[in-house]
Amino acid sequence: MIRKEAVESRHLKIENYQTDLAIIGGGMSGVCAAITAARQGIKVVLVQDRPVLGGNASSEVRLWILGATSHMGNNNRWSREGGVIDELLVENTYRNPEGNPVILDMILLDKVKQEPNITLLLNTAVYEVHKSNSDTIESVKALCSQNSTTYIIHAPLFCDASGDGVVGFLSGAAFRMGAETPDEFNEPMAPDASYGELLGHSLYFYTKDVGKPVKFTAPAFALDVQKEIPRYKSFNAKEHGCKLWWVEHGGRMDTVHDTEQIKWELWKVIYGVWDYIKNSGNFPEAENYTLEWVGTVPGKRESRRFEGDYILSQADLIEQKLHDDAVAYGGWSIDLHPADGVFSDRSPCNQWHSKGIFQIPYRSLYSKNVKNLFLAGRIISVSHVAFGGTRVMGTCAYVAQAAAMAAAWCVKNNKLPAQLYQEGHMPALQQLLFRSGQYIPNVAWADREDLLSTANVNTSSNLQFKGFDRTDAIFKPLSIAAAQMLPLKPGQIPAINALLKADEPTTLNVELRISARDGGFTPDTTLAAKTIELQAGEQEIDIDFNVTIDKEQYVFVCFLINEKVQLAYAQQRLTGLLSVFNGVNKAVSNNGKQVAPEGSGVDTFEFWCPQRRPEGHNIALQFKQPVHVFSADHLKNGLDRPTVQPNAWVAELTDAAPVIEVNWKEAQTIGKIDLVFDTDADHPMESVLMTHPETVMPFCVRNYHIEDEQGKVVYRKRDNYQTKDEVVFELPISTKKLRIILEHPSVNVPASLFSLRCYALNQN
């Protein structure tokens, strides 16, 4: 028994933490930042004001994680974000292909708790900031509502990943809220007052077929959506979850302090929508449906944006400007919404895509006036227009990883965030990011500590690509224009042979296109065109464009629409090769072509996008001369995804046990080996609601082992499914030779590897 005498007042329990980095916010940005920093060997306290991790991706909100891949609806090929966010998405696809948000909660908690350097504080909200002087945070104070404990967290560095920027706000960091005028950053897309300056919140609901009739009685507060919602006819009985992202409200309110009021308005809409579906008589198919779940926490899009030493703006995205301090990239469209949201009679979004991914500079990831404050997630230093392209979770998490890696470097070198840039340490940060799997477009690197740089690398085979195997070819109608992307080196374009069927004599138009932008994947430049006469029936055609190219790049062999023709596709799939189609993807405002309004500062161009598996077969083209683009040289170039080339070694399928052999003149002491496999960076891996056709990407090597010069197996891996396998030896091995023996993923997919790196010690 505990008995306390009456006193005038009492205090809650207080616990103090001293850490290297305090991260406030446990959404995808905070999670990825915490794991990134912890793996660099520094101590992290992760403060999350909710009972689960994941923020808008969690079971509390249930929005899918997306980034530059944009539902495969843009021209950003192989653009899924790398590093920790890639690891989490691949893990979720493996464990949770059905997109269950509760399982995602579990995966995030599991990953964070596996890191001994992370102290996780759930249900804990920061409410006070203490500063040692006007520009330096000393500590933050937070309250856990579940255990009535106040935490005081001291750290030399803080990272605000809270979404609303609570630490930045309380610390006095400069911020913006709302839209800039078009003149400030020369942004033609800046909205006017009638459109509104802020994006609102969304609240989702899930439905379920229970197999018997279900009645629904609406609450008194439910709206009559037929009277209140201009787009009420857009609702249907089969859509639920974040497919109803446009059920949005609050853009004309204070999206920080009015959140509870906004939530109530959204509840009114949701229960009104369900009343309409269940009781209007217009949806007999919903008779057996029940309302399984309604969100209680709205998903926020926009509130504060903090000012760094650089403010990213429209031109940075559309023109894909280069920055010497690039540490991440984005690729979502500039996606702005009318402030009136679901109550607006305008289109629910206004999406304009760039012709590729855009760099995000380090100077946008820290406060310009609070010296020890990093910015992560949607609060980074961008204009309102640029925010439309950087605010999605895949991009936010990717940026957060860069901020966390910078924080770890600052801790180890006793520096402040701005000093890392000002003193010329960006190459060191970029190298750390590359090692962690973080691709940075248009940034080259050479890892001097990689022992492979002094080794001789041989392979048992290199794929001499002569085209796709036509065994069990699939014929598909040419009802939309189709193209095969081919990576080629400088020189003559090889003559091409295609297999097809024609219903009757007709002509087929074939074009050879490239991207006008180096490294781009928008086929906006036509090098040659052919009109080919076809006879009725199955036939092969030879196509010689007689064109020479002067640099490494992907070319597009484009077959234009002809409803009378069926094109042959192959069952075989290869790393770095894709077919793309000039189709439509309404989910990301892709109507086949983006037609930019005059004076908008946006490009007009066609979309050529892949299809999701089990579709997405390659066009069964063949060549008289082999294409040499899969050599072992790629294993050393530091690139872990296709760019202007596949950047991968690929074995011949006829090679029963492909081997990579690494030889040094002198014995090397090896403490760590990194291998980077192909987990299809073109697949967006949406985290919830959507399902996926497989749990392991078809290009990923599942089984392999490593031998030393004596033939001793020093490592064996079975059932791999992750992008990066990090082999750390408890006791370093000494050897002059390594042999990596791999198994082909399947009979239709040869073994491939993007990178192989060897380090003397455990290099992070």
Coordinates of all heavy atoms in Angstrom, one line a residue, residues 64 66 70-74 231 239 242-243 245-246 332-333 335 337 347-353 581-594 607 609-610 612 690:
W64 N 0.1 5.7 -48.2 CA 1.2 5.0 -48.7 C 2.4 5.9 -48.8 O 2.3 7.1 -49.1 CB 0.8 4.4 -50.1 CG 0.1 5.3 -51.0 CD1 0.3 6.6 -51.3 CD2 -1.0 4.9 -51.8 NE1 -0.6 7.1 -52.2 CE2 -1.4 6.1 -52.6 CE3 -1.8 3.7 -52.0 CZ2 -2.5 6.1 -53.4 CZ3 -2.8 3.7 -52.9 CH2 -3.2 4.9 -53.6
L66 N 5.4 7.2 -50.8 CA 5.8 7.4 -52.2 C 6.8 8.5 -52.3 O 7.0 9.3 -51.4 CB 4.6 7.8 -53.1 CG 3.7 6.7 -53.6 CD1 2.5 7.3 -54.3 CD2 4.4 5.8 -54.5
S70 N 6.6 7.9 -58.0 CA 5.3 8.4 -58.4 C 4.4 7.4 -59.0 O 3.8 7.6 -60.1 CB 5.5 9.6 -59.3 OG 4.3 10.3 -59.5
H71 N 4.1 6.3 -58.3 CA 3.2 5.2 -58.8 C 3.6 4.7 -60.2 O 2.8 4.3 -61.0 CB 1.8 5.7 -58.9 CG 1.1 5.8 -57.6 ND1 0.9 4.8 -56.7 CD2 0.4 6.9 -57.0 CE1 0.2 5.2 -55.7 NE2 -0.1 6.4 -55.8
M72 N 4.9 4.9 -60.6 CA 5.4 4.5 -61.9 C 4.7 5.3 -63.0 O 4.5 4.8 -64.1 CB 5.2 3.0 -62.2 CG 6.1 2.1 -61.3 SD 5.7 0.3 -61.4 CE 6.1 0.0 -63.1
G73 N 4.3 6.5 -62.6 CA 3.5 7.3 -63.6 C 4.3 8.5 -64.2 O 3.6 9.4 -64.7
N74 N 5.6 8.5 -64.0 CA 6.4 9.6 -64.6 C 7.6 9.0 -65.3 O 7.7 7.8 -65.5 CB 6.8 10.6 -63.5 CG 7.7 9.9 -62.4 OD1 8.3 8.8 -62.6 ND2 7.8 10.5 -61.3
R231 N -18.0 17.6 -55.6 CA -17.6 16.4 -56.4 C -18.2 15.1 -55.8 O -17.6 14.0 -55.8 CB -16.1 16.3 -56.4 CG -15.4 17.5 -57.1 CD -13.9 17.3 -57.1 NE -13.5 16.2 -58.0 CZ -12.8 15.1 -57.6 NH1 -12.6 15.0 -56.3 NH2 -12.5 14.2 -58.4
E239 N -13.9 2.4 -53.4 CA -12.7 3.1 -53.1 C -12.7 3.4 -51.6 O -13.7 4.0 -51.1 CB -12.5 4.4 -53.9 CG -12.0 4.1 -55.3 CD -11.6 5.4 -56.0 OE1 -11.9 6.5 -55.5 OE2 -10.8 5.3 -57.0
C242 N -6.4 5.7 -48.7 CA -5.8 6.9 -49.2 C -6.0 7.1 -50.7 O -5.6 8.0 -51.3 CB -4.3 6.9 -48.9 SG -3.4 5.4 -49.4
K243 N -6.8 6.2 -51.3 CA -7.3 6.5 -52.7 C -8.3 7.7 -52.6 O -8.5 8.3 -53.7 CB -8.0 5.3 -53.3 CG -7.0 4.1 -53.7 CD -7.7 3.0 -54.4 CE -6.6 2.0 -54.8 NZ -7.3 0.8 -55.5
W245 N -7.6 10.4 -51.1 CA -6.7 11.5 -50.6 C -7.3 12.9 -50.8 O -7.0 13.8 -50.1 CB -5.4 11.4 -51.4 CG -5.5 11.5 -52.9 CD1 -5.6 10.5 -53.7 CD2 -5.7 12.7 -53.7 NE1 -5.8 10.9 -55.0 CE2 -5.9 12.3 -55.0 CE3 -5.7 14.1 -53.4 CZ2 -6.0 13.2 -56.1 CZ3 -5.9 15.0 -54.4 CH2 -6.0 14.5 -55.8
W246 N -8.2 13.0 -51.8 CA -8.8 14.3 -52.1 C -9.9 14.7 -51.1 O -10.4 15.8 -51.2 CB -9.3 14.3 -53.5 CG -10.3 13.2 -53.8 CD1 -9.9 12.0 -54.3 CD2 -11.7 13.3 -53.8 NE1 -11.1 11.2 -54.5 CE2 -12.2 12.0 -54.2 CE3 -12.6 14.2 -53.4 CZ2 -13.5 11.7 -54.3 CZ3 -14.0 13.9 -53.5 CH2 -14.4 12.6 -53.9
W332 N 8.9 13.7 -57.2 CA 7.4 13.8 -57.2 C 7.1 15.1 -58.0 O 7.9 16.0 -58.1 CB 6.9 13.9 -55.8 CG 5.4 13.9 -55.6 CD1 4.6 14.9 -55.4 CD2 4.5 12.7 -55.7 NE1 3.3 14.5 -55.3 CE2 3.2 13.1 -55.5 CE3 4.8 11.4 -55.9 CZ2 2.1 12.3 -55.5 CZ3 3.7 10.5 -55.9 CH2 2.4 11.0 -55.7
S333 N 5.9 15.1 -58.6 CA 5.5 16.3 -59.3 C 5.4 17.5 -58.3 O 5.3 17.3 -57.1 CB 4.1 16.1 -59.9 OG 3.1 15.8 -58.9
D335 N 3.0 19.3 -56.8 CA 1.7 18.9 -56.5 C 1.0 19.8 -55.5 O 1.2 19.7 -54.3 CB 1.8 17.4 -56.0 CG 0.4 16.8 -55.7 OD1 -0.6 17.5 -56.0 OD2 0.4 15.7 -55.2
H337 N -2.6 21.8 -54.1 CA -4.1 21.5 -54.0 C -4.8 22.8 -53.7 O -4.3 23.6 -52.9 CB -4.3 20.5 -52.9 CG -3.7 19.2 -53.1 ND1 -3.9 18.1 -52.2 CD2 -2.8 18.7 -54.0 CE1 -3.2 17.1 -52.6 NE2 -2.5 17.4 -53.7
S347 N -10.3 21.2 -59.7 CA -9.6 19.9 -59.6 C -9.0 19.8 -58.3 O -8.4 20.7 -57.8 CB -8.6 19.9 -60.8 OG -7.8 18.7 -60.7
P348 N -9.0 18.6 -57.7 CA -8.5 18.4 -56.3 C -7.0 18.6 -56.2 O -6.4 18.7 -55.1 CB -8.9 17.0 -55.9 CG -9.2 16.3 -57.2 CD -9.7 17.4 -58.2
C349 N -6.3 18.5 -57.4 CA -4.8 18.7 -57.3 C -4.4 19.3 -58.6 O -5.1 19.3 -59.6 CB -4.1 17.4 -57.1 SG -4.1 16.3 -58.5
N350 N -3.2 19.9 -58.6 CA -2.6 20.6 -59.7 C -1.2 20.1 -59.8 O -0.3 20.6 -59.2 CB -2.7 22.1 -59.5 CG -2.2 22.9 -60.7 OD1 -2.2 22.4 -61.8 ND2 -1.8 24.1 -60.5
Q351 N -0.9 19.0 -60.6 CA 0.4 18.3 -60.6 C 1.1 18.6 -61.9 O 0.6 18.4 -63.0 CB 0.2 16.8 -60.5 CG -0.4 16.4 -59.1 CD -0.5 14.8 -59.0 OE1 -0.8 14.2 -60.0 NE2 -0.2 14.3 -57.9
W352 N 2.3 19.0 -61.8 CA 3.2 19.3 -62.9 C 4.6 18.6 -62.7 O 5.2 18.9 -61.7 CB 3.4 20.8 -63.1 CG 2.1 21.4 -63.5 CD1 1.3 22.2 -62.7 CD2 1.4 21.4 -64.7 NE1 0.1 22.6 -63.3 CE2 0.2 22.1 -64.6 CE3 1.7 20.8 -66.0 CZ2 -0.8 22.2 -65.6 CZ3 0.7 20.9 -67.0 CH2 -0.5 21.6 -66.8
H353 N 4.9 17.7 -63.6 CA 6.1 16.9 -63.4 C 7.3 17.6 -64.1 O 7.2 18.3 -65.1 CB 5.9 15.6 -64.1 CG 4.8 14.8 -63.5 ND1 5.0 13.7 -62.6 CD2 3.5 14.8 -63.6 CE1 3.9 13.2 -62.2 NE2 2.9 13.8 -62.8
F581 N 5.6 2.6 -72.0 CA 4.4 2.8 -72.8 C 3.9 4.2 -72.7 O 4.0 4.8 -71.6 CB 3.3 1.8 -72.4 CG 3.8 0.3 -72.5 CD1 4.5 -0.3 -71.5 CD2 3.5 -0.4 -73.6 CE1 5.0 -1.6 -71.6 CE2 3.9 -1.7 -73.7 CZ 4.6 -2.3 -72.7
N582 N 3.4 4.7 -73.8 CA 2.9 6.1 -73.8 C 1.4 6.0 -73.4 O 0.5 6.3 -74.2 CB 3.1 6.7 -75.2 CG 2.6 8.1 -75.2 OD1 2.0 8.6 -76.2 ND2 2.8 8.9 -74.2
G583 N 1.2 5.5 -72.2 CA -0.2 5.3 -71.7 C -0.6 6.4 -70.8 O -0.1 7.5 -70.8
V584 N -1.6 6.1 -69.9 CA -2.2 7.0 -69.0 C -2.1 6.5 -67.6 O -2.3 5.3 -67.3 CB -3.7 7.3 -69.4 CG1 -4.4 8.1 -68.4 CG2 -3.7 7.9 -70.8
N585 N -1.8 7.4 -66.6 CA -1.9 7.0 -65.2 C -2.6 8.2 -64.5 O -1.9 9.1 -64.1 CB -0.5 6.7 -64.7 CG -0.5 6.2 -63.2 OD1 -1.4 6.5 -62.5 ND2 0.6 5.5 -62.9
K586 N -3.9 8.1 -64.3 CA -4.7 9.2 -63.7 C -4.3 9.5 -62.3 O -4.5 10.6 -61.8 CB -6.2 8.8 -63.8 CG -6.7 8.7 -65.2 CD -6.9 10.0 -65.9 CE -7.6 9.9 -67.2 NZ -7.8 11.2 -67.9
A587 N -3.7 8.5 -61.6 CA -3.3 8.7 -60.2 C -2.3 9.8 -60.0 O -2.3 10.4 -58.9 CB -2.8 7.4 -59.6
V588 N -1.5 10.1 -61.0 CA -0.5 11.1 -60.9 C -0.7 12.2 -62.0 O 0.3 12.7 -62.5 CB 0.9 10.6 -60.9 CG1 1.2 9.8 -59.6 CG2 1.2 9.6 -62.0
S589 N -1.9 12.4 -62.5 CA -2.2 13.4 -63.5 C -1.4 13.1 -64.8 O -0.9 14.1 -65.5 CB -1.9 14.8 -63.0 OG -2.7 15.1 -61.9
N590 N -1.2 11.9 -65.1 CA -0.5 11.5 -66.4 C -1.6 11.1 -67.4 O -2.2 10.0 -67.3 CB 0.4 10.3 -66.1 CG 1.0 9.7 -67.3 OD1 0.6 10.0 -68.4 ND2 2.0 8.8 -67.1
N591 N -1.8 11.9 -68.4 CA -2.7 11.7 -69.5 C -2.0 11.3 -70.7 O -2.6 11.5 -71.8 CB -3.6 12.9 -69.7 CG -4.5 13.2 -68.5 OD1 -5.3 12.3 -68.1 ND2 -4.3 14.3 -67.8
G592 N -0.8 10.8 -70.6 CA 0.0 10.4 -71.8 C 0.9 11.5 -72.2 O 2.0 11.3 -72.7
K593 N 0.5 12.8 -71.9 CA 1.3 13.9 -72.3 C 1.0 15.1 -71.3 O -0.1 15.3 -71.0 CB 1.0 14.4 -73.7 CG 1.9 15.5 -74.2 CD 1.7 15.8 -75.7 CE 2.6 16.9 -76.2 NZ 2.4 17.2 -77.6
Q594 N 2.1 15.7 -70.9 CA 1.9 16.9 -70.1 C 2.0 18.1 -71.0 O 3.0 18.3 -71.7 CB 3.0 17.0 -69.0 CG 3.0 18.3 -68.2 CD 4.0 18.2 -67.0 OE1 3.7 17.5 -66.0 NE2 5.1 18.9 -67.1
F607 N 4.7 11.2 -71.6 CA 5.1 10.2 -70.5 C 5.2 8.8 -71.2 O 4.4 8.4 -72.0 CB 4.0 10.1 -69.5 CG 3.8 11.3 -68.6 CD1 2.8 12.2 -68.9 CD2 4.7 11.6 -67.6 CE1 2.7 13.4 -68.1 CE2 4.6 12.7 -66.8 CZ 3.6 13.6 -67.0
C609 N 6.0 5.2 -69.6 CA 6.1 4.6 -68.3 C 6.0 3.1 -68.4 O 5.3 2.6 -69.3 CB 5.1 5.1 -67.4 SG 5.0 6.9 -67.3
P610 N 6.6 2.4 -67.5 CA 6.5 0.9 -67.4 C 5.2 0.5 -67.0 O 4.4 1.2 -66.4 CB 7.6 0.5 -66.5 CG 8.4 1.7 -66.2 CD 7.6 2.9 -66.4
R612 N 3.2 -2.4 -64.4 CA 3.5 -3.2 -63.2 C 3.5 -4.7 -63.6 O 2.7 -5.2 -64.4 CB 2.5 -2.9 -62.1 CG 2.6 -1.6 -61.5 CD 1.5 -1.4 -60.5 NE 1.6 0.0 -59.9 CZ 2.1 0.3 -58.7 NH1 2.7 -0.7 -58.0 NH2 2.1 1.5 -58.3
M690 N -2.2 -0.8 -51.4 CA -1.9 -1.5 -52.6 C -1.2 -2.8 -52.3 O -0.5 -3.0 -51.4 CB -1.1 -0.7 -53.5 CG -1.8 0.6 -54.0 SD -0.8 1.5 -55.2 CE -0.8 0.4 -56.6

